[in-house]
Amino acid sequence: MTESVRNNDDQWLPAIINAWQLVKKEGIAATIEGAAALRLHGCAISPGPWIEISVQWDAIETFFKNGSLNQKSILNKFKRICFFTFKLDDYYVKIIGYLGTVVRTDPDRMSISIGTEQIAVKSLSSFLRCTDPDDTCRKAAKSYMQKLQAQDADRNGQAWNDEAYRAWINRFGTPEEAAAKIKRDPIGRLGSLADYLTDCNDQCVINLLGSHAGKALALSLLGANVTVVDISAENAAYAGKTAEALGVSLNYIVSDVLQLPIAEHKGRYDKVFMELGILHYFIDLEPLADLIEQLLKPGGTFIIQEFHPVSTKLVTTRGKRQIVFGNYFDQSLHTRSVAFTKHLDPSHQSEEREERTVYLREWTLGEIVTTFAQAGLIVSRLDEQPNMKINDIGLPKLFTLVCVKPGGTKQIQRKC
């Protein structure tokens, strides 16, 4: 995705454009780094007097010989890095080359639109992953991502409170009809999660982003004490009436999960589970992972079943052919319609479609596992489930990640 910068009246921006065009004129692949990159993303950080640009290692010496560069320094060469600086307008430009880095294929490189110019910058996620916790740039990136997350939570809340109740009736029937289906076979309603949610009787379980609570209510019938957290009051209304029809109690909290009052829930739960199409709502996974670690009792288990990134980010099927359609390492935000809209009768859909558009970040499997491990959870197992469609044979469809909070001895085992 190409992001747009609106605040292009800052004094530093013309210098950024001039520096970029100067490198571009030489035909050199380059990326804006540091504080200047963060300002282009929209972060509230002073770019300072420096504009840092990384270029291809084997092109830096040729660029250094450019006779039009003002107040040029010497070319500093080290084993794995070389750089030089020059003056441009009221700024200093630092041109850096890193040995062994191919600029054009750098997974942390993304494009930002400034007017008609496309400028490559380091991604926000790279500042979280590659800088120290106290680094000014990391703090600025973190703060900006929190702001984006809050904005997206507001959009998601609006979208999921727009006709979601009607969508679930179209999908599952009335709450009474949904309850009858759950009651007939509660284990079956857990689907492929059933093997991971064994021994839930008398346990405290919390389902984050639990939607219409179908899985949570099945667990309630199986003896669990279940809490659901979801941003949608319409989801809660449908779930509440289904619970009433089942004759079970359900604690449903209408809230953005990241705004859950942790003091009331810290260390209360034997299991935390999430499933299918939820991680992409998080612009930064670290706050979610930290929340889950705090919710769990020592020895408690976190289970997440999600669509496999290979299928969501990289490979699709057209007819009988499997084709690569995307970039597995893409870190951009994308827009998409809220999931329930496909269950709405077109005659009942409002004309205000914008409310159902949300912003999503699709994660790699490595990013997901690493984030939960770095939150202090012990990765117990990672299972990958194949796609059952004949034309998708050989492609992963789902993955299930199981983590345990240190302090207990019990390890979850999946039935074979």
Side-chain angles (χ1 to χ4, degrees):
M1 171 184 146
T2 297
E3 297 186 351
S4 297
V5 172
R6 296 179 181 177
N7 55 334
N8 59 358
D9 55 347
D10 292 342
Q11 294 180 356
W12 59 271
L13 191 53
I16 288 275
I17 296 174
N18 289 341
W20 179 259
Q21 290 177 339
L22 189 61
V23 177
K24 183 180 176 182
K25 185 178 179 181
E26 297 293 319
I28 299 173
T31 307
I32 305 291
E33 299 192 345
L38 289 174
R39 281 299 299 269
L40 291 174
H41 276 293
C43 296
I45 185 173
S46 171
W50 290 96
I51 299 170
E52 296 179 79
I53 305 178
S54 60
V55 302
Q56 197 65 34
W57 171 271
D58 54 7
I60 191 169
E61 191 164 354
T62 301
F63 186 37
F64 176 74
K65 295 176 181 178
N66 188 323
S68 64
L69 303 180
N70 297 323
Q71 300 182 31
K72 185 168 52 177
S73 73
I74 64 170
L75 181 61
N76 299 274
K77 292 185 177 181
F78 302 95
K79 287 184 178 180
R80 302 190 61 81
I81 186 174
C82 62
F83 68 89
F84 71 93
T85 65
F86 64 92
K87 185 75 179 294
L88 183 66
D89 301 328
D90 294 326
Y91 290 84
Y92 288 96
V93 179
K94 185 176 183 180
I95 302 296
I96 314 166
Y98 302 101
L99 180 63
T101 299
V102 181
V103 172
R104 293 187 188 278
T105 59
D106 180 5
D108 291 327
R109 186 177 190 250
M110 58 184 299
S111 179
I112 285 182
S113 176
I114 305 177
T116 59
E117 195 72 48
Q118 298 292 318
I119 298 182
V121 300
K122 281 289 186 180
S123 69
L124 288 170
S125 295
S126 68
F127 288 94
L128 303 189
R129 189 177 63 255
C130 302
T131 55
D132 295 330
D134 294 330
D135 187 271
T136 301
C137 286
R138 189 184 197 279
K139 290 180 177 179
K142 196 76 172 174
S143 176
Y144 182 62
M145 293 169 84
Q146 289 173 351
K147 178 182 176 181
L148 290 180
Q149 186 72 64
Q151 292 175 350
D152 278 359
D154 182 60
R155 293 191 188 103
N156 286 329
Q158 292 178 29
W160 279 96
N161 281 297
D162 180 18
E163 301 188 80
Y165 192 100
R166 185 186 299 276
W168 298 138
I169 289 178
N170 290 346
R171 174 68 177 85
F172 300 109
T174 65
E176 293 74 19
E177 291 170 332
K181 294 175 184 176
I182 296 171
K183 193 170 186 177
R184 276 199 300 270
D185 184 11
I187 294 177
R189 300 306 291 180
L190 294 175
S192 55
L193 271 175
D195 291 338
Y196 301 92
L197 292 170
T198 57
D199 302 325
C200 284
N201 187 42
D202 291 329
Q203 287 195 343
C204 289
V205 180
I206 187 167
N207 179 199
L208 302 182
L209 283 80
S211 190
H212 51 78
K215 299 284 194 300
L217 290 170
L219 284 176
S220 293
L221 281 180
L222 295 171
N225 180 9
V226 185
T227 296
V228 176
V229 184
D230 192 273
I231 203 168
S232 172
E234 289 220 356
N235 284 346
Y238 187 87
K241 290 189 177 181
T242 307
E244 183 179 349
L246 278 170
V248 298
S249 61
L250 178 68
N251 181 27
Y252 200 114
I253 302 171
V254 178
S255 171
D256 172 12
V257 296
L258 297 181
Q259 299 302 316
L260 188 68
I262 190 61
E264 301 175 17
H265 298 270
K266 189 172 183 178
R268 285 185 53 187
Y269 297 97
D270 299 286
K271 287 185 175 66
V272 176
F273 82 95
M274 307 173 71
E275 56 136 2
L276 299 185
I278 35 81
L279 286 184
H280 54 217
Y281 288 118
F282 296 91
I283 294 170
D284 179 6
L285 287 181
E286 287 182 2
L288 174 66
D290 291 340
L291 171 68
I292 290 167
E293 191 278 336
Q294 293 183 74
L295 291 173
L296 285 170
K297 297 177 180 178
T301 305
F302 169 56
I303 304 132
I304 179 167
Q305 188 170 90
E306 188 50 292
F307 296 111
H308 201 291
V310 166
S311 293
T312 58
K313 290 173 67 68
L314 186 63
V315 182
T316 190
T317 302
R318 291 181 182 173
K320 297 182 178 180
R321 296 178 57 202
Q322 296 174 355
I323 62 172
V324 175
F325 72 94
N327 176 358
Y328 184 76
F329 297 99
D330 179 27
Q331 299 175 32
S332 302
L333 299 180
H334 302 271
T335 58
R336 189 181 303 170
S337 295
V338 164
F340 70 78
T341 55
K342 64 185 178 182
H343 302 307
L344 286 174
D345 184 333
S347 65
H348 291 133
Q349 296 184 31
S350 70
E351 296 179 0
E352 298 295 329
R353 300 291 297 180
E354 185 177 356
E355 284 191 344
R356 297 199 187 103
T357 298
V358 292
Y359 294 87
L360 310 176
R361 164 69 154 88
E362 294 178 326
W363 301 91
T364 67
L365 193 57
E367 288 174 322
I368 295 165
V369 175
T370 298
T371 302
F372 289 109
Q374 289 180 340
L377 300 174
I378 299 171
V379 176
S380 175
R381 62 184 304 137
L382 173 64
D383 296 320
E384 298 172 282
Q385 288 84 30
N387 201 308
M388 295 303 180
K389 294 181 179 179
I390 189 64
N391 291 333
D392 291 329
I393 190 170
L395 294 180
K397 176 66 174 179
L398 306 174
F399 73 90
T400 306
L401 174 66
V402 181
C403 300
V404 177
K405 182 172 179 174
T409 59
K410 186 176 181 179
Q411 301 288 321
I412 189 168
Q413 297 294 326
R414 180 176 182 266
K415 296 178 181 178
C416 296

